[in-house]
Amino acid sequence: MAQQKKGLITRMLEGKEKSEEYARSTLPTNRWQLFWDIFKGNFWKIVKVNLLIFVFFIPLLFVIIMNSLLMQSNGVIYPFGANLGIGYPAMPALQGVSEWLTVQNNIMLYLEIMIAMFVAAVGLSGGMYVIRNMVWTEGIFVTNDFWRGVKLNYKNALETALFFSAVLFLGQMLISFSDFSIAAGAVTKGQIVWLRISQATSYVFITLAAMMTLWMIALGVNYNMGFRVMLKNSFLMTIGTLPQTVFFGVLALLPFALLMLGGTTLIMIAGIIVILFAFAYALLVWLDFAQWVFDKYINPKLQGAKVGRGIYNKDGTSTITGNDSAASLEYQRVILSHGKSRLVARPIKPIDDSLQVYELPQSFTREDLKRLRESKQSIVEDTETYAEEHKNDLRYVEYNKQFEERERAFQEESDKGKKKRAKKPKILDE
């Protein structure tokens, strides 16, 4: 009963804000919580990094928009939809012309896309670095970290962008040439079946390449690896986590889907979303999910890699000397900044009626004051005797030991100062 009273008094005096359970409850313990914490708490930083990414994607968006306008103008200029049997002689030469124009447009479009990717890769490399640091809950300076990310990740980002562009170019050209061959009547019925199969296969490869591209972004910003190894691992990650990859890929690219719904109002809303946060949002969703996959399958087996960056483990296994997340380090910094709790670091005698403070009468004398001092002194001595008798109890010894270890380890980290971020762990081809 006395121990229960002590625990109640301890909680009342310290307050829940200083209790370990409360401190943990304020930190994200899973990737969903981390996403919302970042999105809500760093929204204006997300907008800022999105604007930086958007600037470098302007040439790519310009190419796509101009090609779309060109296709629409072709539909107006050429009489593909005209009733050629009324007022005009039949023109068999128009058979397949629309498909051939599509082939020509696609050749120009995808070559221009590949060129625009050299500029877009600047925005991608800087953006994915900043968002990754957000997922790791590291302190960031958007502009400085953006350009640092360009320096560290431009090669990976460009390789990723060109890979997807090349697959998209080859797949779309095969689809366009198949449509042209069928429309021009240059193939037999049996060949048409094979052409349709090749078109379906092309769509499958383009979809697979899109998912691999997402994994190449995540792998490139987290690990040090060559293009061939990155390509191989992105394929394995895509196949190994196919349902999750599809779900989070769709979730990440959802804002861009609004552009395809049509309607002036929706397109304007979608345009504002794309300018403000769509790129950063997509990277945040994807890299947050990818970090969960890496923590589950890669980081525990990889030397130099840290597990659980950005989140705090409920089981308390994350320690300052182990694989700490930034959130865990921040939690321990807050705890250590308050110093040892005197209520749990040393024995405190439970409240009982064995000793009481002498009560002064209404009319007291010098003798009464002496008795009051003696009663207080007796309580102090009794408390110190109790503390001396129980100082080696396991719970006090263990608390002081753990606190001193954390304090010493944290001090070592503090002495190093704000050093450069650790190099990305290297993944070799095995």
Side-chain angles (χ1 to χ4, degrees), residues 181-182 185-197:
S181 299
I182 294 171
V187 293
T188 63
K189 290 184 178 180
Q191 291 173 328
I192 290 176
V193 175
W194 287 108
L195 288 175
R196 293 302 185 192
I197 293 174

PDB file of all heavy atoms in Angstrom, residues 181-182 185-197:
ATOM      1  N   SER A 181       0.515  -0.979 -88.519  1.00  0.00           N
ATOM      2  CA  SER A 181       0.514  -2.148 -89.408  1.00  0.00           C
ATOM      3  C   SER A 181      -0.883  -2.721 -89.555  1.00  0.00           C
ATOM      4  O   SER A 181      -1.312  -3.105 -90.650  1.00  0.00           O
ATOM      5  CB  SER A 181       1.472  -3.216 -88.872  1.00  0.00           C
ATOM      6  OG  SER A 181       2.796  -2.725 -88.806  1.00  0.00           O
ATOM      7  N   ILE A 182      -1.622  -2.779 -88.453  1.00  0.00           N
ATOM      8  CA  ILE A 182      -2.986  -3.318 -88.500  1.00  0.00           C
ATOM      9  C   ILE A 182      -3.900  -2.381 -89.284  1.00  0.00           C
ATOM     10  O   ILE A 182      -4.702  -2.807 -90.122  1.00  0.00           O
ATOM     11  CB  ILE A 182      -3.506  -3.541 -87.070  1.00  0.00           C
ATOM     12  CG1 ILE A 182      -2.704  -4.640 -86.372  1.00  0.00           C
ATOM     13  CG2 ILE A 182      -4.992  -3.913 -87.087  1.00  0.00           C
ATOM     14  CD1 ILE A 182      -2.996  -4.783 -84.897  1.00  0.00           C
ATOM     15  N   GLY A 185      -3.472  -2.424 -93.047  1.00  0.00           N
ATOM     16  CA  GLY A 185      -3.807  -3.688 -93.688  1.00  0.00           C
ATOM     17  C   GLY A 185      -2.599  -4.420 -94.228  1.00  0.00           C
ATOM     18  O   GLY A 185      -2.712  -5.197 -95.193  1.00  0.00           O
ATOM     19  N   ALA A 186      -1.443  -4.219 -93.606  1.00  0.00           N
ATOM     20  CA  ALA A 186      -0.202  -4.823 -94.099  1.00  0.00           C
ATOM     21  C   ALA A 186       0.080  -6.175 -93.475  1.00  0.00           C
ATOM     22  O   ALA A 186       1.128  -6.770 -93.736  1.00  0.00           O
ATOM     23  CB  ALA A 186       0.957  -3.885 -93.836  1.00  0.00           C
ATOM     24  N   VAL A 187      -0.843  -6.684 -92.636  1.00  0.00           N
ATOM     25  CA  VAL A 187      -0.610  -7.960 -91.962  1.00  0.00           C
ATOM     26  C   VAL A 187      -1.831  -8.847 -92.118  1.00  0.00           C
ATOM     27  O   VAL A 187      -2.950  -8.383 -92.390  1.00  0.00           O
ATOM     28  CB  VAL A 187      -0.311  -7.739 -90.460  1.00  0.00           C
ATOM     29  CG1 VAL A 187       1.013  -7.035 -90.268  1.00  0.00           C
ATOM     30  CG2 VAL A 187      -1.426  -6.926 -89.799  1.00  0.00           C
ATOM     31  N   THR A 188      -1.611 -10.149 -91.936  1.00  0.00           N
ATOM     32  CA  THR A 188      -2.707 -11.123 -92.017  1.00  0.00           C
ATOM     33  C   THR A 188      -3.430 -11.197 -90.677  1.00  0.00           C
ATOM     34  O   THR A 188      -2.973 -10.636 -89.679  1.00  0.00           O
ATOM     35  CB  THR A 188      -2.165 -12.502 -92.383  1.00  0.00           C
ATOM     36  OG1 THR A 188      -1.279 -12.956 -91.326  1.00  0.00           O
ATOM     37  CG2 THR A 188      -1.382 -12.448 -93.704  1.00  0.00           C
ATOM     38  N   LYS A 189      -4.544 -11.927 -90.668  1.00  0.00           N
ATOM     39  CA  LYS A 189      -5.315 -12.074 -89.429  1.00  0.00           C
ATOM     40  C   LYS A 189      -4.499 -12.784 -88.355  1.00  0.00           C
ATOM     41  O   LYS A 189      -4.579 -12.453 -87.168  1.00  0.00           O
ATOM     42  CB  LYS A 189      -6.607 -12.833 -89.708  1.00  0.00           C
ATOM     43  CG  LYS A 189      -7.613 -12.038 -90.524  1.00  0.00           C
ATOM     44  CD  LYS A 189      -8.915 -12.818 -90.682  1.00  0.00           C
ATOM     45  CE  LYS A 189      -9.949 -12.002 -91.471  1.00  0.00           C
ATOM     46  NZ  LYS A 189     -11.218 -12.746 -91.639  1.00  0.00           N
ATOM     47  N   GLY A 190      -3.719 -13.780 -88.760  1.00  0.00           N
ATOM     48  CA  GLY A 190      -2.886 -14.482 -87.789  1.00  0.00           C
ATOM     49  C   GLY A 190      -1.824 -13.577 -87.198  1.00  0.00           C
ATOM     50  O   GLY A 190      -1.530 -13.638 -85.994  1.00  0.00           O
ATOM     51  N   GLN A 191      -1.254 -12.713 -88.011  1.00  0.00           N
ATOM     52  CA  GLN A 191      -0.244 -11.775 -87.531  1.00  0.00           C
ATOM     53  C   GLN A 191      -0.837 -10.712 -86.608  1.00  0.00           C
ATOM     54  O   GLN A 191      -0.173 -10.219 -85.692  1.00  0.00           O
ATOM     55  CB  GLN A 191       0.449 -11.113 -88.727  1.00  0.00           C
ATOM     56  CG  GLN A 191       1.324 -12.067 -89.527  1.00  0.00           C
ATOM     57  CD  GLN A 191       1.859 -11.422 -90.799  1.00  0.00           C
ATOM     58  OE1 GLN A 191       1.188 -10.573 -91.404  1.00  0.00           O
ATOM     59  NE2 GLN A 191       3.055 -11.823 -91.208  1.00  0.00           N
ATOM     60  N   ILE A 192      -2.104 -10.379 -86.864  1.00  0.00           N
ATOM     61  CA  ILE A 192      -2.775  -9.396 -85.996  1.00  0.00           C
ATOM     62  C   ILE A 192      -2.831  -9.906 -84.557  1.00  0.00           C
ATOM     63  O   ILE A 192      -2.620  -9.140 -83.598  1.00  0.00           O
ATOM     64  CB  ILE A 192      -4.189  -9.093 -86.526  1.00  0.00           C
ATOM     65  CG1 ILE A 192      -4.115  -8.303 -87.839  1.00  0.00           C
ATOM     66  CG2 ILE A 192      -4.996  -8.303 -85.486  1.00  0.00           C
ATOM     67  CD1 ILE A 192      -5.457  -8.045 -88.476  1.00  0.00           C
ATOM     68  N   VAL A 193      -3.118 -11.195 -84.403  1.00  0.00           N
ATOM     69  CA  VAL A 193      -3.182 -11.782 -83.050  1.00  0.00           C
ATOM     70  C   VAL A 193      -1.844 -11.611 -82.340  1.00  0.00           C
ATOM     71  O   VAL A 193      -1.784 -11.201 -81.172  1.00  0.00           O
ATOM     72  CB  VAL A 193      -3.565 -13.272 -83.129  1.00  0.00           C
ATOM     73  CG1 VAL A 193      -3.499 -13.901 -81.733  1.00  0.00           C
ATOM     74  CG2 VAL A 193      -4.956 -13.441 -83.717  1.00  0.00           C
ATOM     75  N   TRP A 194      -0.746 -11.911 -83.051  1.00  0.00           N
ATOM     76  CA  TRP A 194       0.572 -11.779 -82.440  1.00  0.00           C
ATOM     77  C   TRP A 194       0.917 -10.317 -82.141  1.00  0.00           C
ATOM     78  O   TRP A 194       1.572 -10.014 -81.128  1.00  0.00           O
ATOM     79  CB  TRP A 194       1.632 -12.404 -83.346  1.00  0.00           C
ATOM     80  CG  TRP A 194       1.576 -13.900 -83.356  1.00  0.00           C
ATOM     81  CD1 TRP A 194       1.139 -14.705 -84.356  1.00  0.00           C
ATOM     82  CD2 TRP A 194       1.955 -14.758 -82.270  1.00  0.00           C
ATOM     83  NE1 TRP A 194       1.207 -16.029 -83.992  1.00  0.00           N
ATOM     84  CE2 TRP A 194       1.714 -16.091 -82.705  1.00  0.00           C
ATOM     85  CE3 TRP A 194       2.465 -14.556 -80.996  1.00  0.00           C
ATOM     86  CZ2 TRP A 194       1.973 -17.192 -81.909  1.00  0.00           C
ATOM     87  CZ3 TRP A 194       2.732 -15.661 -80.193  1.00  0.00           C
ATOM     88  CH2 TRP A 194       2.488 -16.962 -80.644  1.00  0.00           C
ATOM     89  N   LEU A 195       0.476  -9.434 -82.994  1.00  0.00           N
ATOM     90  CA  LEU A 195       0.714  -8.016 -82.733  1.00  0.00           C
ATOM     91  C   LEU A 195      -0.038  -7.541 -81.488  1.00  0.00           C
ATOM     92  O   LEU A 195       0.485  -6.743 -80.696  1.00  0.00           O
ATOM     93  CB  LEU A 195       0.306  -7.172 -83.946  1.00  0.00           C
ATOM     94  CG  LEU A 195       1.221  -7.265 -85.171  1.00  0.00           C
ATOM     95  CD1 LEU A 195       0.633  -6.467 -86.342  1.00  0.00           C
ATOM     96  CD2 LEU A 195       2.620  -6.757 -84.839  1.00  0.00           C
ATOM     97  N   ARG A 196      -1.254  -8.038 -81.307  1.00  0.00           N
ATOM     98  CA  ARG A 196      -2.015  -7.674 -80.106  1.00  0.00           C
ATOM     99  C   ARG A 196      -1.335  -8.235 -78.854  1.00  0.00           C
ATOM    100  O   ARG A 196      -1.300  -7.573 -77.801  1.00  0.00           O
ATOM    101  CB  ARG A 196      -3.445  -8.204 -80.212  1.00  0.00           C
ATOM    102  CG  ARG A 196      -4.286  -7.552 -81.303  1.00  0.00           C
ATOM    103  CD  ARG A 196      -4.383  -6.062 -81.133  1.00  0.00           C
ATOM    104  NE  ARG A 196      -5.286  -5.455 -82.106  1.00  0.00           N
ATOM    105  CZ  ARG A 196      -5.371  -4.153 -82.332  1.00  0.00           C
ATOM    106  NH1 ARG A 196      -4.575  -3.309 -81.671  1.00  0.00           N
ATOM    107  NH2 ARG A 196      -6.219  -3.675 -83.228  1.00  0.00           N
ATOM    108  N   ILE A 197      -0.820  -9.445 -78.969  1.00  0.00           N
ATOM    109  CA  ILE A 197      -0.111 -10.035 -77.828  1.00  0.00           C
ATOM    110  C   ILE A 197       1.138  -9.211 -77.500  1.00  0.00           C
ATOM    111  O   ILE A 197       1.451  -8.957 -76.328  1.00  0.00           O
ATOM    112  CB  ILE A 197       0.262 -11.502 -78.122  1.00  0.00           C
ATOM    113  CG1 ILE A 197      -1.003 -12.358 -78.215  1.00  0.00           C
ATOM    114  CG2 ILE A 197       1.199 -12.049 -77.044  1.00  0.00           C
ATOM    115  CD1 ILE A 197      -0.761 -13.792 -78.633  1.00  0.00           C
TER     116      ILE A 197
END
